[in-house]
Amino acid sequence: PAPAGAPATSAPAAAAYSVGDLVDVDWSRSGDYYPASVAKVFDDGTLRVAYDAGGEEIVPPDRVRPTLWRTEGSPWIGCLLARDNPDRTARVLKWLPPDCAFPFRDAEGRPAPLWQVEGDGIFEDLELQDLLVAPPQMVAAPSPPAAAAP
């Protein structure tokens, strides 16, 4: 997997994390941070994290930092996109806003949004022009949650 690009920031206390939080994790103490989500918070403050590219690891909180990626605030989140052909699709999982602390920079060096998509276990980071031209094409908007049975 590609490292999450933002420079290191001080890690908050473990109590600041909850299951499902998006984080960047110092993978195997390598100094390279990778995107993950918190799968479990243990009583002693350690965290089980699930890496976006697969695999899990139990880590101390000093190897975890909040991520700049977001799962809300973009109409693309949850959309299903056609890729190379109609049989190959990818879902938009999260995005990096251009006004965050350490934004993605486009070819001209300007802050620009970036979206992460996943299809068939493959994760890709796409710029806006990659979302708007074929391929990919939006083939389905996110489905509304099912109503709970009375």
Side-chain angles (χ1 to χ4, degrees):
T9 59
S10 59
Y17 295 111
S18 299
V19 171
D21 284 352
L22 300 179
V23 293
D24 293 329
V25 182
D26 179 2
W27 180 73
S28 295
R29 296 196 181 278
S30 66
D32 292 324
Y33 283 79
Y34 293 86
S37 60
V38 175
K40 183 171 183 171
V41 179
F42 294 96
D43 291 339
D44 67 357
T46 58
L47 305 164
R48 177 180 292 135
V49 296
Y51 289 99
D52 286 5
E56 290 190 349
E57 187 177 20
I58 295 176
V59 296
D62 66 340
R63 289 181 44 207
V64 179
R65 66 183 184 204
T67 189
L68 300 173
W69 289 90
R70 302 287 172 252
T71 56
E72 53 192 39
S74 169
W76 289 96
I77 301 298
C79 290
L80 188 63
L81 307 172
R83 298 300 290 144
D84 305 295
N85 62 59
D87 296 329
R88 184 169 174 254
T89 60
R91 185 160 311 274
V92 180
L93 303 176
K94 56 189 176 180
W95 76 305
L96 186 65
D99 59 353
C100 68
F102 302 101
F104 167 76
R105 299 213 175 253
D106 65 14
E108 285 79 40
R110 297 176 301 212
L114 195 65
W115 288 266
Q116 185 180 82
V117 302
E118 184 273 329
D120 298 324
I122 298 170
F123 291 83
E124 297 178 83
D125 294 341
L126 301 178
E127 295 181 58
L128 182 61
Q129 68 267 14
D130 299 324
L131 291 175
L132 297 178
V133 296
Q137 297 174 351
M138 187 181 334
V139 294
S143 301

